[in-house]
Amino acid sequence: AQSVSQHNHHVILSEAASLELGCNYSYGGTVNLFWYVQYPGQHLQLLLKYFSGDPLVKGIKGFEAEFIKSKFSFNLRKPSVQWSDTAEYFCAVNVASNTGKLIFGQGTTLQVKP
Amino acid sequence: EAGVTQSPTHLIKTRGQQATLRCSPISGHTSVYWYQQALGLGLQFLLWYDEGEERNRGNFPPRFSGRQFPNYSSELNVNALELEDSALYLCASSWGRLLNQPQHFGDGTRLSIL
């Protein structure tokens, strides 16, 4: 069965530190990849998405992610985090069979200390 | 643009009762998705409706059902409630069935079973 794994469950950083959150998926075919963010008290919001083309995708608020097909990975990065980046981050995948189903990782809680 | 709206925000029921959760998609979106976020289990895909038809369902028992109305809003019905149905139920919508249309999420309905 397809699955998504996020390696870090809880990350604590100081402001201005660099961020990298790992995401790996298990599926051998074509995939669409997403990162969602949930700020405290808010709904899930789309940070960025990858469908095809350039494997380095840029999203909102300075986030980017790189799709490495050979490693089945889609890691999220930000060069310098801010206190306002404190949130829960979810990696998600849907496979190209048009099931409508997003498969989510367990989420990573990021805490940024001012 | 108004986002995905869900009602009620909270719902308290007892075992054996039935619950109805409602979702209004973003204007112009025809696909509606339901997910369950139970403690410790992450986000699990429940159902997908598009153009009034059920297109796919996740690994949930038949007492989880729903429908989509002509205005594309949707209801999720859970019959014979069990304690383990306590969870946050999220609705998402997207523009059509195309894979490259990301899902946009509502704030959720928190269902508590006593």
Side-chain angles (χ1 to χ4, degrees), chain A residues 32 34 36 38 42-44 46 49 51 90 94-102 104-106, chain B residues 33 35 37 40-43 45 48 56 88 90 97-107:
Chain A
N32 298 309
F34 307 84
Y36 284 87
Q38 188 167 29
Q42 296 187 29
H43 59 268
L44 275 169
L46 182 67
K49 58 187 185 289
F51 296 125
F90 294 90
N94 70 17
V95 300
S97 58
N98 202 13
T99 64
K101 173 183 176 180
L102 275 177
F104 283 86
Q106 289 290 90
Chain B
Y33 312 81
Y35 291 84
Q37 189 174 25
L41 294 178
L43 277 148
F45 169 78
W48 172 31
N56 195 18
L88 181 67
L90 293 176
R97 284 180 274 169
L98 297 176
L99 281 177
N100 62 356
Q101 296 301 320
Q103 297 178 22
H104 300 268
F105 287 81
D107 290 330

Side-chain angles (χ1 to χ4, degrees), chain A residues 3 17 23 47 61-65 69 76 83-84 89 96 99 113:
Chain A
S3 65
C23 173
L47 257 185
K61 304 187 181 187
F63 286 90
E64 65 178 31
K69 190 174 180 180
L76 181 70
W83 176 79
S84 57
Y89 293 80
T99 64
K113 294 184 173 180

Side-chain angles (χ1 to χ4, degrees), chain B residues 11 13 17-21 76-81 111 113:
Chain B
L11 191 55
K13 295 284 185 178
Q17 284 189 314
Q18 185 246 2
T20 298
L21 289 62
L76 173 69
N77 296 295
V78 189
N79 294 319
L81 286 165
L111 177 61
I113 312 303

